[in-house]
Amino acid sequence: MSKLRVLIVEDEADIRRFIRLSLEREGMTVFEATTAAQARIESASRQPHLVIVDLGLPDEDGKDFIRDMRNWSSAPVLVLSARDREEEKVEALNVGADDYLTKPFGVPELIARVRAQLRRANVVSVGRTSSVVKFGTIHVDLATYEVIRAGVPVHMTPTEFRLLTALIRGYGKVITHRQLLLEVWGPGYVDRPHYLRVYMTNLRQKLEDDPAQPKHLITELQVGYRLAGIST
């Protein structure tokens, strides 16, 4: 069973440790960043289910990081901050935060808010039926990271699975090259479309009956890609 991944962006070591221990007791996997620059790398590479952000970061305001992160991630963002003015809360929510908790705070409220955001993002019940997506003979379990084709497990690299997940989340619409590069590789890779071509070729080799004439992983010329044929 896959653990939920949470990224803590906080420069105060004591608070970071307090949050980490609280979340790990709930069975979550926790990653840490102390600056906005480090947080960009961690959020793009770790693909967390939720991000906890302090606004008073040493290199820039946490709101700037949240605004930037929204270019490549839809993960819920919970702000933890000593700033208690209403204007700060409104601005943080307007740039992309999902909730705002003022310091000091207690463990029960922190955990309650974390779980509320994860429920809204549909990632808490990792054993739920709705985590399984089917198209053709392919079964993808978004919670356990398992991919099965015609009853046979398919090995996926982490990057391949992130790309497939991005296509599934965007089902029903065309996802541009830029959107996919941002979501799968991060903001430093938006000018490297060859990454996307290589990995789409790999996915088709693994999932399509005829990779040269794909039925599910469809190219929209000069725009991007879309996933077709999800049945449930």
Side-chain angles (χ1 to χ4, degrees):
M1 183 175 291
S2 173
K3 287 187 176 183
L4 296 169
R5 300 183 302 279
V6 178
L7 172 63
I8 303 170
V9 187
E10 167 66 67
D11 63 320
E12 294 187 41
D14 289 343
I15 295 178
R16 216 166 49 243
R17 181 175 180 275
F18 170 73
I19 298 171
R20 169 190 275 277
L21 292 175
S22 300
L23 297 179
E24 288 180 340
R25 280 196 293 267
E26 297 294 316
M28 301 178 193
T29 298
V30 180
F31 304 100
E32 299 179 10
T34 59
T35 65
Q38 184 183 2
R40 287 184 175 86
I41 296 171
E42 291 292 314
S43 60
S45 61
R46 303 292 189 178
Q47 298 288 303
H49 295 109
L50 179 133
V51 180
I52 297 175
V53 183
D54 178 27
L55 297 184
L57 299 174
D59 54 344
E60 66 180 61
D61 193 294
K63 294 191 295 292
D64 294 328
F65 162 71
I66 296 169
R67 185 186 293 108
D68 196 13
M69 175 187 151
R70 282 294 172 240
N71 288 319
W72 73 85
S73 175
S74 58
V77 173
L78 171 60
V79 170
L80 297 182
S81 178
R83 303 175 189 176
D84 58 1
R85 293 191 307 113
E86 183 178 1
E87 292 84 353
E88 284 284 355
K89 297 177 182 179
V90 170
E91 189 175 350
L93 295 171
N94 282 339
V95 299
D98 297 279
D99 198 1
Y100 195 110
L101 184 57
T102 304
K103 299 177 182 176
F105 54 88
V107 171
E109 184 176 12
L110 171 66
I111 297 302
R113 293 199 185 214
V114 165
R115 291 208 170 276
Q117 290 303 321
L118 291 171
R119 280 196 301 273
R120 292 189 185 108
N122 294 319
V123 296
V124 165
S125 301
V126 293
R128 61 199 289 171
T129 303
S130 61
S131 69
V132 177
V133 177
K134 303 175 185 176
F135 53 96
T137 62
I138 307 299
H139 288 56
V140 181
D141 192 322
L142 298 173
T144 62
Y145 305 96
E146 294 176 302
V147 180
I148 296 174
R149 176 184 177 187
V152 179
V154 178
H155 172 71
M156 288 269 168
T157 68
T159 302
E160 289 169 351
F161 191 84
R162 287 202 302 272
L163 178 55
L164 180 58
T165 299
L167 291 165
I168 290 171
R169 282 201 297 264
Y171 180 70
K173 61 183 180 182
V174 178
I175 311 176
T176 67
H177 300 120
R178 179 181 174 82
Q179 287 173 317
L180 287 170
L181 287 164
L182 279 169
E183 184 164 350
V184 178
W185 284 274
Y189 293 80
V190 292
D191 296 321
R192 303 184 187 183
H194 58 283
Y195 277 57
L196 195 51
R197 288 194 297 270
V198 169
Y199 278 88
M200 283 299 298
T201 297
N202 293 346
L203 280 186
R204 286 170 172 159
Q205 291 289 340
K206 292 181 177 184
L207 302 180
E208 294 281 2
D209 292 335
D210 183 356
Q213 297 184 11
K215 294 182 178 179
H216 303 292
L217 304 168
I218 309 300
T219 299
E220 296 292 342
L221 290 177
Q222 299 181 332
V223 179
Y225 298 93
R226 64 182 173 88
L227 179 64
I230 288 182
S231 56
T232 59

